[in-house]
Amino acid sequence: MSTPGVLSFTQQAWEQVLAKVKRAVVYLDAACAESLHWGCGSSRLLEAVGNSACYLREFEPAAVGGGAEQPKAVFVLSCLLKGRTVETLRDIICRSHFQYCVVVTAVNHAVHLTANHVPPAAAAELEGQQPVFEQLEEKLCEWMGNMNYTAEVLHVPLLLASAAPHLALTPAFASLFPLLPQDVHILNRARPDKRRLGNLAEVDATTLTPELLLTIRCLVSGLSSLCEHLGVREECFAVGSLSRIIAADLANFAPAKNRRKTAPGRASVVFVDRTLDLTGAVGHHGDNLVEKILSVLPQLPGHTNDVMVNMVELTALQAEEENQNMVAPGCLAQSNDPAARALWEALLNTKHKEAVMEVRRHLVEAASRENLPIKMSMGRVTPGQLMSYIHLFKNNLKALGNHCGLLQLGLATVQTLKHPQTAKWDNFLAFERLLLQSIGESTMSVVLNQLLPMIKPSNQRTNDDYSPEELLVLLIYIYSVSGEFSVDKDLGEGEEKVKKALAQVFCEESELSPLLQKITGCDSSINLTFHKSRSAVDELFTSLRDIAGARNLMKQFKSVYVPGNHTHQASYKPLLKQVVEEIFNPERPDPVDIEHMSSGLTDLLKTGFSMFMKVSRPHPSDHPLLILFVVGGVTVSEAKMIKDLVPSLKPGTQVIVLSTRLLKPTNIPELLFTTDRLHPDLGF
C-alpha cells in the first residue's frame, strides 16, 4: 500500500460516502462537490449510485425533492448541521417521498457540541456518544412522516480538494482570510466593557467573533482527521496572528489528544498568514502555465479552484459565441484519467515553456497510439500547432473518449495562449519590475505618481490599458512589497491624486463589474455618485495601509524587498521562501517569528525548563514531514517553490502544501476589500 497522503485521505473519505449512495438521490453542497471533483470525480459517484433514474442535485433551498420512485436520499454537506442548513434539509425532505435519509457532514460531532454551547467538561463526558446527530436522526424521521423510516447522520472528513500529491485546498474555507489592523477596531467596538486590544498580536481566541471561532474549529476538526490518516502526532507552529489562533486550536483540540498518544509518526504543521506577503499573490513573476490558465479562463461555476474549458472545437458546431453554452465545459481536474493527471502534475511543476512542450508531447504520443495522421513539427510550440493535433481527434469517437482528459488540458493551454489577457501578463511583469527598482530609489509618493497616468476612464482605455480591477492589483503589489513607510505631506498628496482619479474612473465605468459592485455598494454605475465612489476608495486605502504595515509585528520577516546594488537589481523575496529557509537553517536558531503552540502542561514545562536547563524546544525541522498551511490562499508557483526548496535544504523531508484556495492575482482584491473576515457565513 502506498504512503498515506492528501489524495488517499480524500479518496478514503469519499469511499465511505459512496458506500451509502446506492440507488439514492444525492444532494451535495458546493464545497463537497469540489472535493469530489478533485478527489475521484462525479463519474465515480454516478457509478456508485448505479441507477439512471436517480440524480445528483445541488443542496440549496430551491432543490427539487424526491418523487415517489425515489425513496432514498443522501445529503453530503461540508458545514455544521445547524440553522439554515437544517431548515433546507427539512424543506427538501418534507416535499419528497423519502423513506431512507443519510446525512453526511464534514464537521465532527465534537464541533457540533461546541456550536450548541456544550461546555468542554460536559463534552468530555459525552465521549463516544453523539447526541446532536441522534437528535437530528429523529427529526429526519419526523420530516419523512414515519418514525419507523431509516435515518442516519454521520461524520466523514471531506475537507480537501487534492490538486496534486504535494498540494491540497480546503474549498469550504475559501473565504477565510487573515485579519487586518482595522479588524482590531471592530473587535474593540464589540467589547466596550473589556480591555482594549492594542494590535493584532493581542487578538486571541477569546476576543474573536463566535462565527470566526467556529469556522476555525471546523477547519481544525478536518486537519485533525488528516493528521490521523497520516498517522502523525503534530507539533503546531504559526507565522502571523490568525495562524497563531488556528495553530493553538489544533494543538489543544480535545478529540486529538488520544490519537496523538498512539500516532506512529511525527509532523510539523506550520500555519502562515497570507496577508504578511500579498506581493506573491498578486505578482506576475510566476513563470507557470497553470497560473495563467487560472487567471484568464472563466471560473467553473460553484468552484474556487477550477476553470471552464470551451470544448466546442471538438464538436461539429461552429465556434460562435452563441454555441459556447451548448456543450458542457471541460476542466483541469482529471481525477479518473491517469495520463491526464500525469500531465496536470507536470504542468504544476514546470516552467511555462517546458509545460507547453509537455502538452505537445502528450498530444503527439496520444495521436500516435491512436494511429491518427500526425504531422510532426519541431521548434517553437504555437497555439495553431497544438490545435492541429487536437483536431485530429475530432471525428474519432473512440480516440476522443480514450483521451478526453488530455484534450481538455490541451484546449485549456491553447485558449490561454491565444487569450488577450495572456499578452498583458508580460506588461504586468514589466511594470512590477519597474516598481521594484523605483521603490529602492524613490519615495512612495513618486511610485504612486508613476501609476497615475495609467488610471484611465473606460472611454479612453485600449486593450493594453489597465481596468479598475487591475489597478487595484497593482496598488496591492505596491503597498505589500513596500512594507512600512514614513507618512509625510508628499505621500498624502500622492495618495490624494490616485484616490481622486480612481474614484472618478469607478464613476465613469459603463458597467460595474461584480467586484466594483461589492466595493462601492452599488449594483449600477447610474446609481454611483462621486461621493459614494470616493468613500469606497478611502476604505480601499485604509486596507492598503494595513497591508503595508502587515509585517510590523514581525522581528525577522520584516521585508520581502531586497534592495539592488552594483551587481544585482532590486528583487522580491517571497515570505514563504524566507520561512522555509529559516525552518531548515543548519544553525537551528530558536525561531523568532515562527511561534510554537504548546499542546498542554508537558509542552509548557519543556518551554519553561529550557530557559535554564538543556531541554530542546520543539523546532519545525524536527520531523520527517512538514505540512505548510497558507491561510488565505496560495499560488501554483509558491506551492512548486516550497515543494522544490524543502528537499534541497533537508533531503528526505516530505512536504505537503495546504491552503484555503488556489490564488490568481484578481482573487486578492475581492478577499481583501469585500470579505467579512470577522463574520464568515456558517449557514445559520
Side-chain angles (χ1 to χ4, degrees), residues 173-449:
F173 305 93
S175 297
L176 182 64
F177 203 67
L179 303 181
L180 297 174
Q182 61 190 270
D183 297 315
V184 176
H185 303 305
I186 298 168
L187 288 171
N188 277 330
R189 285 204 297 272
R191 36 183 286 140
D193 304 329
K194 296 178 182 172
R195 183 181 67 81
R196 289 182 67 77
L197 302 165
N199 56 39
L200 283 171
E202 295 178 19
V203 175
D204 61 19
T206 64
T207 60
L208 292 184
T209 59
E211 301 99 310
L212 182 52
L213 199 55
L214 260 182
T215 300
I216 289 169
R217 185 59 57 87
C218 291
L219 173 61
V220 160
S221 150
L223 292 174
S224 179
S225 296
L226 172 63
C227 290
E228 182 173 10
H229 175 78
L230 297 173
V232 294
R233 175 186 169 183
E234 69 278 18
E235 292 283 359
C236 300
F237 300 85
V239 184
S241 54
L242 189 64
S243 286
R244 190 180 65 247
I245 296 168
I246 298 171
D249 205 53
L250 178 57
N252 294 284
F253 187 50
K257 287 191 170 145
N258 285 339
R259 70 148 173 90
R260 285 191 188 123
K261 289 173 188 170
T262 57
R266 300 292 293 274
S268 296
V269 184
V270 181
F271 295 88
V272 181
D273 278 6
R274 175 78 263 177
T275 41
L276 296 172
D277 176 11
L278 290 181
T279 314
V282 296
H284 293 73
H285 43 263
D287 185 19
N288 185 280
L289 175 63
V290 175
E291 264 184 20
K292 293 172 187 175
I293 293 172
L294 292 171
S295 293
V296 304
L297 296 190
Q299 193 168 296
L300 195 61
H303 289 246
T304 51
N305 304 297
D306 207 343
V307 295
M308 290 196 288
V309 182
N310 184 351
M311 303 299 288
V312 170
E313 287 282 358
L314 285 172
T315 70
L317 289 169
Q318 295 295 310
E320 306 295 337
E321 198 167 323
E322 60 266 24
N323 292 333
Q324 305 295 315
N325 296 325
M326 290 180 69
V327 179
C331 60
L332 300 177
Q334 302 297 332
S335 49
N336 288 322
D337 184 335
R341 191 163 181 104
L343 174 58
W344 163 250
E345 288 174 16
L347 300 186
L348 288 174
N349 294 313
T350 51
K351 291 188 173 181
H352 175 98
K353 188 177 177 183
E354 288 86 3
V356 174
M357 291 173 73
E358 194 68 9
V359 172
R360 176 173 69 179
R361 184 177 72 78
H362 274 74
L363 286 170
V364 168
E365 288 179 1
S368 300
R369 279 199 298 276
E370 297 292 342
N371 295 317
L372 299 173
I374 193 156
K375 287 180 184 174
M376 283 299 296
S377 53
M378 303 307 290
R380 187 167 164 269
V381 185
T382 65
Q385 185 191 91
L386 293 178
M387 207 64 233
S388 69
Y389 298 149
I390 290 167
H391 276 148
L392 294 173
F393 295 81
K394 186 171 179 176
N395 296 315
N396 188 323
L397 201 57
K398 179 172 171 287
L400 203 64
N402 289 343
H403 304 284
C404 187
L406 167 63
L407 294 170
Q408 289 174 62
L409 295 175
L411 281 166
T413 302
V414 171
Q415 288 160 26
T416 300
L417 294 176
K418 291 167 76 172
H419 201 286
Q421 280 297 113
T422 304
K424 216 171 184 181
W425 188 279
D426 292 335
N427 297 354
F428 269 105
L429 183 58
F431 188 64
E432 286 160 9
R433 284 177 176 160
L434 179 67
L435 286 172
L436 285 174
Q437 307 319 311
S438 301
I439 286 163
E441 297 159 7
S442 318
T443 62
M444 188 66 164
S445 58
V446 173
V447 173
L448 288 174
N449 282 335

Side-chain angles (χ1 to χ4, degrees), residues 87-114:
E87 288 167 13
T88 302
L89 273 171
R90 180 198 63 205
D91 293 348
I92 294 171
I93 292 168
C94 286
R95 60 172 171 262
S96 303
H97 294 78
F98 300 137
Q99 298 171 28
Y100 182 2
C101 276
V102 179
V103 176
V104 176
T105 171
V107 182
N108 83 3
H109 187 265
V111 184
H112 281 83
L113 291 175
T114 304

